[in-house]
Amino acid sequence: MRDIIKTAAELLTVLRNKKPLVHNITNYVTVNDCANIILAVGASPIMADDLGEAADITAISSALVLNIGTLNRRTLESMLASGKKANLLGIPVIFDPVGAGASALRNEATKTILTEIKVGVLRGNMSEISHIAGLGSNTKGVDASEEDIAAGDALAIAVSVSKKLRCVTAITGATDIITDGNRIAAVSNGHKMLSGVTGTGCMTTALIGAYCGAGEDAYTAAVAGIASMGLAGELAYEAAGGKGTGSFHVAIIDAISRLDEKILLERARIHEK
């Protein structure tokens, strides 16, 4: 088996050379951050959520990212149309079920997307993925609850969901777990200040979309995207953490823009089980 850190680092170089177009139907609170993080890693973002063009934009893209952070029925229709187009054309779909478990509408939307669209990567926090696993959750809005984090077995839940949905599942937290049901990786990069900036989860999903658009292995793409965000948190703290969360926020984008194979090889903390 090739070393996952080396494989992820090489994928970053492929991404920067390929510059894949990544279509995002995403959270309007964080849409600007998602666009900038995709640009910073070397890909090209496009945000098109009107039903009249969403599927057409997906058709010319290398990956599709769906994020229900600011869910409404209008964009849900666009997500379904785009997801079905992506499936038809073999374009990877990355789904972020923000707040799943928090409301009937979010639960309905999550179930519909996972039923009608073949998702390649599912990324969420412990509460969101626990809900999808059918275990119930104590979700705190769009954040994972302390109860779910303390009580849940992230590895077992991620493997179960991956096998059920036949996709890569990533549960992000203090230690991130990524699995395709067979391969399992734990990523321990990151910094606690990341939780103080809105949108870091959305940005992580967007990064996974960029890596998926550059390569063919969704598991490697998910590991690379999550490790990249964790490293960005560490580097941003070193550069600007003492200045406060505003400077830290900007430094995350700076760190991703300067990320390269050498940094990943030297600093990524990824363990395959």
Side-chain angles (χ1 to χ4, degrees), residues 23 26 55 71 88 94 101 144 154 171 175 178 189 194 197 233 237 240 264:
H23 182 197
T26 190
L71 178 65
L88 181 66
I94 301 86
I171 299 179
T175 298
I178 305 100
N189 291 104
L194 286 167
V197 175
Y237 177 76
L264 274 166

Side-chain angles (χ1 to χ4, degrees), residues 3-266:
D3 180 78
I4 185 61
I5 297 176
K6 187 173 189 298
T7 305
E10 290 173 350
L11 183 58
L12 173 59
T13 298
V14 172
L15 190 166
R16 292 196 185 279
N17 289 332
K18 186 175 180 180
K19 297 179 174 57
L21 180 64
V22 183
H23 182 197
N24 302 259
I25 303 178
T26 190
N27 185 340
Y28 59 67
V29 172
T30 63
V31 63
N32 186 64
D33 287 326
C34 291
N36 278 323
I37 207 81
I38 288 171
L39 282 168
V41 82
S44 179
I46 186 166
M47 279 65 178
D49 66 6
D50 189 273
L51 183 59
E53 70 166 354
D56 290 340
I57 295 298
T58 295
I60 62 170
S61 301
S62 296
L64 170 67
V65 176
L66 305 178
N67 177 313
I68 63 169
T70 48
L71 178 65
N72 62 69
R73 296 193 183 279
R74 177 187 65 81
T75 52
L76 178 57
E77 288 186 47
S78 299
M79 289 180 184
L80 294 172
S82 294
K84 290 174 183 178
K85 177 66 75 170
N87 286 170
L88 181 66
L89 298 176
I91 296 165
V93 179
I94 301 86
F95 178 43
D96 191 333
V98 179
S103 73
L105 178 60
R106 288 177 189 274
N107 298 348
E108 173 195 339
T110 298
K111 181 179 180 180
T112 300
I113 288 170
L114 292 175
T115 299
E116 298 191 20
I117 298 170
K118 177 67 177 72
V119 169
V121 179
L122 174 68
R123 189 220 67 87
N125 63 36
M126 188 65 169
S127 293
E128 293 156 353
I129 305 302
S130 292
H131 170 78
I132 290 168
L135 300 177
S137 65
N138 298 292
T139 185
K140 189 178 70 175
V142 299
D143 299 318
S145 73
E146 295 299 328
E147 293 91 339
D148 289 335
I149 293 169
D153 183 340
L155 176 55
I157 291 169
V159 170
S160 173
V161 170
S162 283
K163 290 182 176 179
K164 177 183 176 182
L165 298 178
R166 293 183 295 171
C167 71
V168 172
T169 299
I171 299 179
T172 50
T175 298
D176 309 305
I177 299 295
I178 305 100
T179 180
D180 60 2
N182 294 303
R183 295 173 291 176
I184 300 165
V187 178
S188 57
N189 291 104
H191 192 276
K192 63 182 180 181
M193 278 192 76
L194 286 167
S195 64
V197 175
T198 190
T200 53
C202 299
M203 286 188 273
T204 302
T205 305
L207 283 172
I208 293 171
Y211 279 104
C212 280
E216 297 182 357
D217 181 28
Y219 168 78
T220 300
V223 171
I226 289 169
S228 295
M229 193 65 188
L231 276 167
E234 295 173 4
L235 295 166
Y237 177 76
E238 292 168 10
K243 299 178 182 179
T245 54
S247 297
F248 176 76
H249 183 186
V250 172
I252 292 170
I253 304 294
D254 290 340
I256 291 293
S257 72
R258 300 179 66 182
L259 194 63
D260 58 21
E261 281 195 40
K262 184 175 183 290
I263 294 172
L264 274 166
L265 288 169
E266 291 178 351

